[in-house]
Amino acid sequence: MKYLIVGGVAGGASTAARLRRLDESAEIIMFERGDYISYANCGLPYYIGELIYQREKLFVQTPESFAARFNIEARVRSEVKRVNPEKKTIMVHNLALGGLYEETYDKLILSPGAAPVRPPLEGIDMEGIFTMRNVNDTDRVKEYIEEHDVKYALIVGAGFIGLEMAENLHECGIQVSVVEMADQVMTPVDYEIATVIHQHFKSKSVGLHLQEAVIAFHPAEDGIDVVLKSGLVLRVDIVLLSIGVRPDVKLAREAGLEIGETGGIKVNEFLQTSHPDIYAVGDAIEFPNPLSGRPALAFLAGPANRQGRICADNVVNGNHQKYKGSIGTAIAKVFDLTVGATGLSAKMLDRLQMPYKEVIVHGASHAGYYPGAVMMDIKINFSPENGKLLGAQAVGVDGVDKRLEMMSAVIRNGGTIYDLMELEQAYAPPYSSAKDPVNMAGFVADNVLSGKVKIISWRELKDMDHSKVMLVDVRTPEEFGRGSIKGAVNIPLDGSRGKYQNLPKDRTIVVFCAIGLRGYIATRILMQYGYDVVNLNGGYRTYSTAMAEQCSAG
């Protein structure tokens, strides 16, 4: 058998290696139009910031090591220009030597990846404006910074890579600003989680321009003038475009393969395209999201590697291994914070018109009495019908990764908020609390679904007619004195039970505390006294962060 693979890195290289483990006698050739077949794409920002100092540590395999270990021929600087499914041939352009040649196959695997979005803006091709998708891009950025004494940088787009680049350029001593069209950074997370990042940017003196867009780039004597839609002009030395990526489907489309509604190569559950002898993996494929059932893309290394393994099994042994899709679990380090998401955000659920409820909890990274405990914010989205967990997000300084993975596992297995309540984590004071924040998220969600408490979001409260409600802050007088919601009265929870019976019953009572726990206790008291009462979801911590000014000049 002769297997050809178009594209390396996560999807292509993992497919190739698995093919060899399954079929020692096969001829396997991998074509990569770039210079490198397998490298740590996600590590590129940290090479810029010199946290990863040695460039060679970015490379997982080279053509030579691939040949020595797996007996696989990896042809770099070889761009596949055309696929002929009827003749089962590909046309290859040798970029190093020039010229075209043809190669036959029995089975073909496409792993073309995704290409960075580069909009047709005035001046976008001028010197000093870069995308960063591969090693060559990284080398060019690093060389430019070193040769031009870069002091000011602009990141266009505030996705995961954009914010990682903001951190790493900042680590190089460069003043960084970020421009984002949306009203928040990191659109896979909901606004309440993103606002924590916004405020953290202020503490790092990083400029953040939300609901802004670049309309032009103009050359300046000592840099680049970046013109924003608001009329603001930013003078910088370097621009990094991190607007997003789109599946590279040119080859597949020209070969007559079916392209899905999201723009990716459409594959079945066996990762087989519309042609039976052609399979596809990685960033370029479209596959139904396990939660929504709707076609989706997943630009993530983990799913690409898993797809490679499944694809190789099906190519060699016939279609028997099913790919179940990706729920989109992603995480990033942003300066001192870690932020991540899994499953469906509220924005996506709204777009899909899927009903949901949401709760926000704030918990310590480990037992509060053990030194070093820091707060984290967790938000979960779940079905109001059966409590099925639909999405989860977290942000904090420590312990975010393991909480996100706990919730991801529940979502991946079709679990519910009740499974969060039952999760048994490894507990000791340096690592967690007896009631872990993930357990607490389940407890709060259960209280909501069972009717033990009604909650109100910060956004609902902001838009309410405050003349029809009474705001009751149940924190201590000291906390109240440091800031509260305008119009609130302070009736501390501890020692004030009798005072609650004197509240007016002709208005809805909105109760809040710092993070929601004391508010819940007060709400339970008032409900049993017959009041129409709601607890503020996430407490004053969420409200004050979401209502603060989100942009910063830097």
Side-chain angles (χ1 to χ4, degrees), residues 320-334:
H320 68 290
Q321 288 275 12
K322 294 182 180 181
Y323 177 59
K324 297 179 181 178
S326 168
I327 60 172
T329 305
I331 196 165
K333 178 181 180 294
V334 184

PDB file of all heavy atoms in Angstrom, residues 320-334:
ATOM      1  N   HIS A 320     -13.633   1.655  11.209  1.00  0.00           N
ATOM      2  CA  HIS A 320     -14.182   1.055  12.423  1.00  0.00           C
ATOM      3  C   HIS A 320     -14.021   1.948  13.648  1.00  0.00           C
ATOM      4  O   HIS A 320     -14.757   1.831  14.609  1.00  0.00           O
ATOM      5  CB  HIS A 320     -13.538  -0.309  12.698  1.00  0.00           C
ATOM      6  CG  HIS A 320     -12.093  -0.228  13.076  1.00  0.00           C
ATOM      7  ND1 HIS A 320     -11.112   0.128  12.185  1.00  0.00           N
ATOM      8  CD2 HIS A 320     -11.475  -0.440  14.261  1.00  0.00           C
ATOM      9  CE1 HIS A 320      -9.941   0.126  12.805  1.00  0.00           C
ATOM     10  NE2 HIS A 320     -10.137  -0.209  14.065  1.00  0.00           N
ATOM     11  N   GLN A 321     -13.052   2.861  13.613  1.00  0.00           N
ATOM     12  CA  GLN A 321     -12.829   3.783  14.738  1.00  0.00           C
ATOM     13  C   GLN A 321     -13.560   5.087  14.471  1.00  0.00           C
ATOM     14  O   GLN A 321     -13.287   5.770  13.486  1.00  0.00           O
ATOM     15  CB  GLN A 321     -11.323   4.055  14.906  1.00  0.00           C
ATOM     16  CG  GLN A 321     -10.545   2.887  15.451  1.00  0.00           C
ATOM     17  CD  GLN A 321     -10.595   2.839  16.972  1.00  0.00           C
ATOM     18  OE1 GLN A 321     -11.384   3.533  17.602  1.00  0.00           O
ATOM     19  NE2 GLN A 321      -9.748   2.011  17.556  1.00  0.00           N
ATOM     20  N   LYS A 322     -14.496   5.440  15.340  1.00  0.00           N
ATOM     21  CA  LYS A 322     -15.282   6.651  15.138  1.00  0.00           C
ATOM     22  C   LYS A 322     -14.669   7.836  15.886  1.00  0.00           C
ATOM     23  O   LYS A 322     -14.264   7.717  17.042  1.00  0.00           O
ATOM     24  CB  LYS A 322     -16.720   6.436  15.610  1.00  0.00           C
ATOM     25  CG  LYS A 322     -17.483   5.413  14.782  1.00  0.00           C
ATOM     26  CD  LYS A 322     -18.917   5.277  15.278  1.00  0.00           C
ATOM     27  CE  LYS A 322     -19.687   4.255  14.457  1.00  0.00           C
ATOM     28  NZ  LYS A 322     -21.088   4.124  14.919  1.00  0.00           N
ATOM     29  N   TYR A 323     -14.628   8.963  15.197  1.00  0.00           N
ATOM     30  CA  TYR A 323     -14.219  10.211  15.836  1.00  0.00           C
ATOM     31  C   TYR A 323     -15.462  10.867  16.423  1.00  0.00           C
ATOM     32  O   TYR A 323     -16.484  10.996  15.755  1.00  0.00           O
ATOM     33  CB  TYR A 323     -13.560  11.139  14.822  1.00  0.00           C
ATOM     34  CG  TYR A 323     -13.166  12.484  15.390  1.00  0.00           C
ATOM     35  CD1 TYR A 323     -12.278  12.567  16.462  1.00  0.00           C
ATOM     36  CD2 TYR A 323     -13.675  13.666  14.870  1.00  0.00           C
ATOM     37  CE1 TYR A 323     -11.915  13.797  16.996  1.00  0.00           C
ATOM     38  CE2 TYR A 323     -13.305  14.895  15.390  1.00  0.00           C
ATOM     39  CZ  TYR A 323     -12.438  14.955  16.455  1.00  0.00           C
ATOM     40  OH  TYR A 323     -12.072  16.176  16.986  1.00  0.00           O
ATOM     41  N   LYS A 324     -15.394  11.274  17.690  1.00  0.00           N
ATOM     42  CA  LYS A 324     -16.569  11.784  18.387  1.00  0.00           C
ATOM     43  C   LYS A 324     -16.631  13.307  18.433  1.00  0.00           C
ATOM     44  O   LYS A 324     -17.558  13.873  19.011  1.00  0.00           O
ATOM     45  CB  LYS A 324     -16.600  11.217  19.811  1.00  0.00           C
ATOM     46  CG  LYS A 324     -16.742   9.700  19.849  1.00  0.00           C
ATOM     47  CD  LYS A 324     -16.750   9.171  21.275  1.00  0.00           C
ATOM     48  CE  LYS A 324     -16.872   7.655  21.311  1.00  0.00           C
ATOM     49  NZ  LYS A 324     -16.838   7.120  22.694  1.00  0.00           N
ATOM     50  N   GLY A 325     -15.641  13.965  17.846  1.00  0.00           N
ATOM     51  CA  GLY A 325     -15.674  15.422  17.804  1.00  0.00           C
ATOM     52  C   GLY A 325     -14.972  16.064  18.978  1.00  0.00           C
ATOM     53  O   GLY A 325     -14.573  15.407  19.943  1.00  0.00           O
ATOM     54  N   SER A 326     -14.846  17.383  18.916  1.00  0.00           N
ATOM     55  CA  SER A 326     -14.157  18.156  19.956  1.00  0.00           C
ATOM     56  C   SER A 326     -15.128  19.099  20.642  1.00  0.00           C
ATOM     57  O   SER A 326     -15.950  19.748  19.979  1.00  0.00           O
ATOM     58  CB  SER A 326     -13.014  18.967  19.331  1.00  0.00           C
ATOM     59  OG  SER A 326     -12.508  19.922  20.243  1.00  0.00           O
ATOM     60  N   ILE A 327     -15.034  19.171  21.961  1.00  0.00           N
ATOM     61  CA  ILE A 327     -15.863  20.123  22.706  1.00  0.00           C
ATOM     62  C   ILE A 327     -15.135  21.454  22.910  1.00  0.00           C
ATOM     63  O   ILE A 327     -15.635  22.352  23.579  1.00  0.00           O
ATOM     64  CB  ILE A 327     -16.311  19.555  24.069  1.00  0.00           C
ATOM     65  CG1 ILE A 327     -15.103  19.214  24.954  1.00  0.00           C
ATOM     66  CG2 ILE A 327     -17.203  18.345  23.871  1.00  0.00           C
ATOM     67  CD1 ILE A 327     -15.480  18.832  26.375  1.00  0.00           C
ATOM     68  N   GLY A 328     -13.936  21.574  22.307  1.00  0.00           N
ATOM     69  CA  GLY A 328     -13.249  22.868  22.289  1.00  0.00           C
ATOM     70  C   GLY A 328     -12.616  23.278  23.595  1.00  0.00           C
ATOM     71  O   GLY A 328     -12.743  24.433  24.019  1.00  0.00           O
ATOM     72  N   THR A 329     -11.911  22.365  24.243  1.00  0.00           N
ATOM     73  CA  THR A 329     -11.243  22.702  25.504  1.00  0.00           C
ATOM     74  C   THR A 329      -9.933  23.419  25.202  1.00  0.00           C
ATOM     75  O   THR A 329      -9.062  22.879  24.527  1.00  0.00           O
ATOM     76  CB  THR A 329     -10.970  21.437  26.325  1.00  0.00           C
ATOM     77  OG1 THR A 329     -12.195  20.733  26.524  1.00  0.00           O
ATOM     78  CG2 THR A 329     -10.362  21.784  27.674  1.00  0.00           C
ATOM     79  N   ALA A 330      -9.799  24.641  25.709  1.00  0.00           N
ATOM     80  CA  ALA A 330      -8.616  25.447  25.415  1.00  0.00           C
ATOM     81  C   ALA A 330      -8.225  26.255  26.643  1.00  0.00           C
ATOM     82  O   ALA A 330      -9.081  26.643  27.444  1.00  0.00           O
ATOM     83  CB  ALA A 330      -8.884  26.384  24.241  1.00  0.00           C
ATOM     84  N   ILE A 331      -6.937  26.519  26.766  1.00  0.00           N
ATOM     85  CA  ILE A 331      -6.428  27.241  27.943  1.00  0.00           C
ATOM     86  C   ILE A 331      -5.251  28.104  27.525  1.00  0.00           C
ATOM     87  O   ILE A 331      -4.559  27.803  26.535  1.00  0.00           O
ATOM     88  CB  ILE A 331      -6.007  26.243  29.044  1.00  0.00           C
ATOM     89  CG1 ILE A 331      -5.847  26.944  30.408  1.00  0.00           C
ATOM     90  CG2 ILE A 331      -4.745  25.490  28.665  1.00  0.00           C
ATOM     91  CD1 ILE A 331      -5.788  25.968  31.579  1.00  0.00           C
ATOM     92  N   ALA A 332      -5.034  29.196  28.238  1.00  0.00           N
ATOM     93  CA  ALA A 332      -3.917  30.084  27.916  1.00  0.00           C
ATOM     94  C   ALA A 332      -3.392  30.748  29.181  1.00  0.00           C
ATOM     95  O   ALA A 332      -4.141  30.992  30.138  1.00  0.00           O
ATOM     96  CB  ALA A 332      -4.349  31.158  26.914  1.00  0.00           C
ATOM     97  N   LYS A 333      -2.104  31.047  29.164  1.00  0.00           N
ATOM     98  CA  LYS A 333      -1.478  31.860  30.203  1.00  0.00           C
ATOM     99  C   LYS A 333      -1.457  33.298  29.711  1.00  0.00           C
ATOM    100  O   LYS A 333      -0.965  33.579  28.612  1.00  0.00           O
ATOM    101  CB  LYS A 333      -0.055  31.368  30.470  1.00  0.00           C
ATOM    102  CG  LYS A 333       0.710  32.184  31.510  1.00  0.00           C
ATOM    103  CD  LYS A 333       2.124  31.633  31.674  1.00  0.00           C
ATOM    104  CE  LYS A 333       2.908  32.433  32.721  1.00  0.00           C
ATOM    105  NZ  LYS A 333       3.148  33.834  32.281  1.00  0.00           N
ATOM    106  N   VAL A 334      -2.009  34.211  30.502  1.00  0.00           N
ATOM    107  CA  VAL A 334      -2.018  35.629  30.153  1.00  0.00           C
ATOM    108  C   VAL A 334      -1.416  36.395  31.324  1.00  0.00           C
ATOM    109  O   VAL A 334      -2.084  36.659  32.325  1.00  0.00           O
ATOM    110  CB  VAL A 334      -3.439  36.135  29.838  1.00  0.00           C
ATOM    111  CG1 VAL A 334      -3.397  37.594  29.391  1.00  0.00           C
ATOM    112  CG2 VAL A 334      -4.095  35.271  28.760  1.00  0.00           C
TER     113      VAL A 334
END
